[in-house]
Amino acid sequence: MSPVTVSRALAQLAAEGLVVTRPGAGAFRARPHTAQTPAGDTSWQEVALSADGSADLVPRTVDASGVTVSLAAPPPGVLEFSGGYLHPSLQPERAMAAALARAGRRPGAWGRPPLEGLPELREWFARGIGGAVTAAEVLIAAGGQSALATALRALAPPGAPVLVESPTYPGMLALARAAGLRPVPVPVDPEGVRPELLADAFRASGARVFVCQPLFQNPTGAVLAPGRRAEVLRIAREAGAFVVEDDFVRRLVHADAGPLPRPLAADDPDGVVVHVGSLTKATSPSFRVSALAAHGPVLERLRAIQVVDSFFVPRPLQEAALELVGSPAWPRHLRALSAELKVRRDALTTALAARLPELALPHVPSGGYHLWLRLPDGSGGEEALTAAALRAGVALTPGRPYFSAEPPAAHLRLSFAAVAGTGEITEGVRRLRAACDEVL
């Protein structure tokens, strides 16, 4: 068997307490367990964790299930249509390894970086945003999730409303609730958020923050229409509110997409937009390098919160990011990824049309890594189908966690990036057909 298989097996045995590993020496059988110490009484924590001190505060309970669905690996033999990251075969593993090796040899690579991030990396992110954004207005963060958490805490006090797209990314909803915020939904159609409903939501809620994904929105795949872009910024400006732009998959464009619209931040001279961009989706879940960009006084608040929370992003990782995006391998990787994502998307849409025509696909995206499907009205429901699919050997993502209020219908999100290839896509749809026959 391969060394990778052996190392994974040893890691699992170590996690179960059956072996111990000693760097430089090897792996050894663990000592037998002694009698367990009697469990303590932790019931007091129920009172401590639920005592908010004020009836006006949002409950502090956070449901992370919508996030863990796309983070947790499925059981062996189960095809991963639920994943939120690229399959290892799509990741630039060689290029990342080479970049990390080169980064480790850079002078000062293991020293303390500037708190805002390496100047060269900030400049690279600023060029990617375009417009009048400069390196001085960019902060390097440890992944998009961390950057979003910083933005929400900087822009809204606990108990405040925050406008969100509906449906939207469950991880963002969990972040908002963890910060004590109240998500208020604004419906999305195939052309992005609906401006007239956004204006209504600002007036009704008094919110001062709107979080959106204008490009290849998660989960619908929608792109904010050209005629709506200026409207969204105008509405937010008149409401005295910020727009948090989560530009998470700009580098996961499909080969047939054509020219992409610029980030909203590139057309915003007034500091309405707080932009979040990331390298993670196009590289690896462990390559957690992202950026926050903003104009005006809010930049200092973002910086202060990030410094307090995490000090800085490890310098070796920032140096590796610079090495990676500056290497000839980076554009080659993006071209290959773009072509492969289109092939996989087409394979999934073709298989669904042939085997599962009753699942409605309102929009076929030209970027991202998933499809958003609507179940037939009166069906057995997404929970029953998700459970049946898992028994059939395919992991799905149910649609309910993507809604901050009552959903209009049952949905599923199917990822085509986390599986090994088109063969697994075809087999996964066959298994899903069997699951649908069981419950729909």
Side-chain angles (χ1 to χ4, degrees), residues 348-349 351-363 371-377 379 381-382 385 396 410-414 429 432-433 435-436 439-440:
L348 182 54
T349 55
L352 288 170
R355 286 186 173 269
L356 289 160
E358 66 268 38
L359 300 185
L361 178 58
H363 176 66
L371 300 179
W372 181 242
L373 302 166
R374 176 170 173 157
L375 300 186
D377 293 336
S379 63
E382 59 192 40
L385 179 55
L396 312 175
H411 292 80
L412 294 175
R413 197 193 77 162
L414 298 186
V429 173
L432 182 55
R433 172 74 270 173
C436 287
V439 300
L440 295 187

Side-chain angles (χ1 to χ4, degrees), residues 228-271:
R228 295 185 181 184
R229 291 168 56 89
E231 271 291 281
V232 167
L233 294 180
R234 180 190 62 80
I235 290 167
R237 181 70 183 86
E238 291 179 356
F242 289 96
V243 173
V244 178
E245 177 185 27
D246 182 11
D247 198 21
F248 72 117
V249 286
R250 180 165 292 271
R251 295 170 185 87
L252 265 62
V253 60
H254 302 170
D256 60 348
L260 297 183
R262 301 200 308 175
L264 291 179
D267 300 320
D268 168 44
D270 300 324

Side-chain angles (χ1 to χ4, degrees), residues 23 52 92 99 135 191 196 204 235 246 275 290 294 301 311 364 381 406 422:
D52 288 320
E191 295 189 333
E196 74 281 7
I235 290 167
D246 182 11
H275 176 90
S290 66
R301 183 177 293 188
F311 292 172
V364 178
E406 290 76 12
T422 55

Side-chain angles (χ1 to χ4, degrees), residues 40-141:
D41 180 7
T42 61
S43 58
W44 65 272
Q45 294 185 5
E46 295 183 45
V47 177
L49 292 173
S50 62
D52 288 320
S54 170
D56 296 330
L57 293 178
V58 175
R60 292 185 293 170
T61 302
V62 177
D63 181 5
S65 59
V67 182
T68 55
V69 165
S70 61
L71 292 177
V78 175
L79 302 181
E80 190 176 1
F81 276 17
S82 57
Y85 297 101
L86 300 178
H87 187 269
S89 63
L90 297 180
Q91 297 175 19
E93 290 188 343
R94 282 188 173 183
M96 288 189 296
L100 194 59
R102 292 193 301 270
R105 295 192 296 269
R106 283 187 169 201
W110 295 92
R112 181 174 54 200
L115 296 180
E116 298 84 359
L118 296 180
E120 301 91 341
L121 189 56
R122 296 165 69 196
E123 173 63 30
W124 183 83
F125 273 108
R127 288 198 307 270
I129 298 170
V133 177
T134 67
E137 295 168 320
V138 174
L139 304 172
I140 302 302

Side-chain angles (χ1 to χ4, degrees), residues 107-428:
W110 295 92
R112 181 174 54 200
L115 296 180
E116 298 84 359
L118 296 180
E120 301 91 341
L121 189 56
R122 296 165 69 196
E123 173 63 30
W124 183 83
F125 273 108
R127 288 198 307 270
I129 298 170
V133 177
T134 67
E137 295 168 320
V138 174
L139 304 172
I140 302 302
Q145 188 78 349
S146 176
L148 285 173
T150 297
L152 288 175
R153 290 179 57 201
L155 302 177
V162 56
L163 304 188
V164 300
E165 294 173 313
S166 182
T168 192
Y169 165 53
M172 195 280 298
L173 294 177
L175 279 176
R177 290 171 178 138
L181 306 178
R182 295 185 289 109
V184 178
V186 184
V188 169
D189 65 21
E191 295 189 333
V193 68
R194 296 172 57 184
E196 74 281 7
L197 297 182
L198 178 64
D200 291 344
F202 271 125
R203 283 192 295 268
S205 67
R208 292 294 179 265
V209 181
F210 169 50
V211 185
C212 63
Q213 296 174 328
L215 186 66
F216 309 134
Q217 196 256 1
N218 183 8
T220 65
V223 177
L224 187 61
R228 295 185 181 184
R229 291 168 56 89
E231 271 291 281
V232 167
L233 294 180
R234 180 190 62 80
I235 290 167
R237 181 70 183 86
E238 291 179 356
F242 289 96
V243 173
V244 178
E245 177 185 27
D246 182 11
D247 198 21
F248 72 117
V249 286
R250 180 165 292 271
R251 295 170 185 87
L252 265 62
V253 60
H254 302 170
D256 60 348
L260 297 183
R262 301 200 308 175
L264 291 179
D267 300 320
D268 168 44
D270 300 324
V272 172
V273 177
V274 173
H275 176 90
V276 176
S278 176
L279 282 172
T280 304
K281 289 296 186 184
T283 54
S284 159
S286 290
F287 205 85
R288 307 205 63 75
V289 177
S290 66
L292 279 160
H295 297 305
V298 70
L299 182 65
E300 180 54 34
R301 183 177 293 188
L302 291 165
R303 176 185 180 275
I305 290 177
Q306 179 168 287
V307 168
V308 169
D309 278 351
S310 57
F311 292 172
F312 47 77
V313 177
R315 182 161 187 158
L317 195 55
Q318 294 191 55
E319 299 278 8
L322 271 174
E323 289 282 354
L324 177 64
V325 299
S327 71
W330 179 242
R332 288 199 301 268
H333 163 65
L334 293 182
R335 287 193 299 270
L337 180 60
S338 176
E340 179 61 18
L341 288 175
K342 178 187 180 300
V343 168
R344 289 168 175 240
R345 180 205 66 195
D346 291 347
L348 182 54
T349 55
T350 300
L352 288 170
R355 286 186 173 269
L356 289 160
E358 66 268 38
L359 300 185
L361 178 58
H363 176 66
V364 178
S366 56
Y369 54 91
H370 56 264
L371 300 179
W372 181 242
L373 302 166
R374 176 170 173 157
L375 300 186
D377 293 336
S379 63
E382 59 192 40
E383 289 187 6
L385 179 55
T386 301
L390 192 58
R391 291 193 297 271
V394 59
L396 312 175
T397 306
R400 179 64 186 88
Y402 290 81
F403 293 91
S404 59
E406 290 76 12
H411 292 80
L412 294 175
R413 197 193 77 162
L414 298 186
S415 170
F416 48 80
V419 293
T422 55
E424 285 198 356
I425 288 174
T426 303
E427 173 61 17

